[in-house]
Amino acid sequence: MSEFKVKLEWKSDSEDFSYKNYTRTHQWIFGGGSQITASAAPEYLGKAEFVNPEEAFAASLSSCHLLTFLAIASFKKYIIKSYKDETVAVVEKNKDGKQAVTRVFLRPKVEFSGEHIPDEEEMKKMHHKAHAECFISNSVITEIVLEPVL
C-alpha cells in the first residue's frame, strides 16, 4: 500500500463573501514540497492563469498513462526519444444530469530511437496495456478515450 498526501490551503482576500466575489485561488502543497497555485476554471469564476481541478484531473490521467507506457516500453527493451500528449477533458452533464468530467481524450505521440521500434499493432497493444494498468484510470468512472498518434 502507498499513500500520497496533498495539503490544500485557501484564505479569503475580502470581506465580501458573495458568490461572484470570493476568491477561488488556493494552494496545493505536495509531499515533496512542490507548491502549485490553483483556481477554478474561468467558466466557474476562477483565474485562467492558474491550473484548475479539471486540468489537473486530465493531467493526472495523461501523466499516469505516460509513466505506465514508459515502464512497458522499457521492459520490452524499446528506447523512447520523446512522448507528447495533447489531452482534452470534456465537462458536461452525465447520465444522472450532473456536471462531470465525462470523457478524457489522450492523444499520445511517441517517438522511438534505435533499431528496435514497435510496429503500429504493437504500439496499440502497448497503449491498451498502459491504459489497463494505469492506477489513475483504474480509479475513475470517466470514459478515457485513447487516440494515439501512430
Side-chain angles (χ1 to χ4, degrees):
M1 182 179 98
S2 301
E3 287 187 348
F4 303 91
K5 298 178 181 180
V6 178
K7 286 187 353 183
L8 183 142
E9 295 180 1
W10 175 90
K11 189 175 191 179
S12 180
D13 63 357
S14 157
E15 294 295 317
D16 182 0
F17 196 71
S18 60
Y19 182 75
K20 289 194 174 191
N21 291 314
Y22 65 81
T23 183
R24 273 75 173 163
T25 304
H26 54 283
Q27 300 296 314
W28 296 339
I29 303 108
F30 297 91
S34 294
Q35 188 167 327
I36 294 177
T37 301
S39 186
E43 299 92 312
Y44 309 109
L45 306 175
K47 295 184 178 179
E49 65 266 29
F50 302 126
V51 67
N52 63 61
E54 296 80 10
E55 291 170 327
F57 182 70
S60 70
L61 285 163
S62 180
S63 182
C64 186
H65 188 85
L66 157 74
L67 295 169
T68 308
F69 187 89
L70 293 177
I72 291 164
S74 177
F75 286 124
K76 290 182 171 283
K77 307 294 185 211
Y78 292 120
I79 299 169
I80 295 179
K81 183 176 179 182
S82 69
Y83 181 111
K84 297 177 183 178
D85 192 355
E86 295 192 21
T87 302
V88 176
V90 177
V91 175
E92 60 191 356
K93 289 191 177 182
N94 65 15
K95 63 180 172 46
D96 298 323
K98 295 182 178 185
Q99 286 290 98
V101 178
T102 59
R103 288 169 288 149
V104 173
F105 293 86
L106 301 180
R107 297 181 175 123
K109 184 176 183 179
V110 184
E111 184 180 351
F112 292 86
S113 64
E115 294 178 16
H116 185 52
I117 295 176
D119 62 19
E120 192 171 306
E121 189 58 34
E122 179 66 10
M123 283 280 289
K124 287 178 183 178
K125 287 179 185 175
M126 291 168 62
H127 279 295
H128 178 75
K129 185 173 183 179
H131 173 68
E133 294 183 7
C134 168
F135 305 157
I136 307 299
S137 65
N138 288 332
S139 302
V140 300
I141 60 172
T142 301
E143 178 186 6
I144 301 163
V145 182
L146 278 170
E147 297 179 334
V149 180
L150 304 172

